[in-house]
């Protein structure tokens, strides 16, 4: 994994250098836009990482494992799915968060349900969705997405067990 990261950094630096020599103005403009995007993302990212860090400090790995670990079974999948459905976290923050939870004892099925509902179910964003798509379609989409997350969790659980 480290070699892959180093390779990607080297390729990026080479391509950035080529871009700079081809058109300095566009490259500088692109880097400024990238920095602005990074500045906009950073507060959310740090906020979630700090929140997860605090939760993991308060609730040790044993607690995480008990509530959403492999042995928590379907109960843990439901808890994870509900938390994912009501949480509004961007994907680029959700996946590192999921990795931290896995390292601290969370189960793969539970994290599968969490990430699935996080990405597909929008309890927090439902009012906006209702405004554009109507109440019936919004509810149907969210219910179907919520149920589908259990299928995703089940499949992930079966795949991980078979590895």
């Amino acid at each position: 994994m480290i070699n892959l990261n180093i390779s990607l950094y080297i390729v990026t630096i080479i391509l950035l250098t080529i871009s700079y020599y081809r058109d300095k103005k566009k490259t500088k403009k692109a880097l400024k836009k990238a920095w602005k995007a990074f500045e906009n993302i950073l507060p959310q990212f740090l906020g979630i990482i700090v929140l997860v860090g605090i939760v993991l400090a308060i609730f040790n790995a044993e607690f995480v494992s008990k509530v959403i670990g492999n042995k928590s079974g379907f109960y843990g999948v439901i808890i994870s799915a509900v938390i994912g459905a009501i949480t509004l976290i961007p994907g680029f923050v959700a996946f590192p968060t999921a990795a931290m939870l896995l390292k601290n004892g969370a189960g793969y099925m539970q994290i599968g349900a969490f990430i699935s509902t996080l990405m597909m179910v929008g309890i927090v964003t439902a009012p906006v969705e209702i405004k554009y798509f109507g109440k019936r379609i919004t509810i149907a989409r969210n219910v179907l997405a919520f149920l589908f997350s259990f299928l995703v969790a089940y499949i992930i659980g079966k795949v991980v067990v078979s590895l």
Side-chain angles (χ1 to χ4, degrees):
M1 188 59 133
I2 293 173
N3 290 335
L4 176 64
N5 288 341
I6 291 170
S7 299
L8 289 174
Y9 282 125
I10 290 170
V11 168
T12 302
I13 289 168
I14 290 169
L15 292 174
L16 185 62
T17 303
I18 291 169
S19 173
Y20 183 78
Y21 283 111
R22 292 186 119 212
D23 193 338
K24 291 178 177 129
K25 238 182 193 178
K26 280 187 180 179
T27 304
K28 286 180 182 179
K29 187 176 178 181
L31 288 172
K32 284 180 184 177
K33 278 187 176 183
W35 183 256
K36 285 242 184 241
F38 177 71
E39 284 179 331
N40 289 334
I41 290 168
L42 191 61
Q44 292 176 335
F45 187 71
L46 290 176
I48 297 297
I49 297 298
V50 167
L51 181 65
V52 169
I54 290 170
V55 167
L56 292 176
I58 294 171
F59 305 117
N60 61 14
E62 186 180 311
F63 179 79
V64 171
S65 182
K66 183 178 177 185
V67 175
I68 60 170
N70 285 329
K71 293 181 182 172
S72 67
F74 192 67
Y75 174 73
V77 173
I78 291 172
I79 290 172
S80 298
V82 169
I83 291 171
I86 61 174
T87 307
L88 185 62
I89 303 174
F92 65 86
V93 176
F95 291 106
T97 302
M100 282 195 293
L101 289 169
L102 282 170
K103 285 180 185 174
N104 283 278
Y108 284 96
M109 283 178 58
Q110 291 76 5
I111 292 301
F114 172 71
I115 292 293
S116 294
T117 55
L118 186 66
M119 295 293 118
M120 296 189 303
V121 180
I123 301 296
V124 175
T125 58
V128 174
E129 194 174 340
I130 289 170
K131 186 177 177 182
Y132 289 100
F133 300 114
K135 193 174 192 176
R136 190 168 162 235
I137 291 174
T138 300
I139 291 171
R141 190 199 66 73
N142 279 297
V143 168
L144 288 172
F146 188 77
L147 295 174
F148 182 72
S149 72
F150 290 99
L151 176 63
V152 169
Y154 177 77
I155 292 169
I156 288 172
K158 289 297 180 188
V159 169
V160 170
V161 168
S162 69
L163 293 177

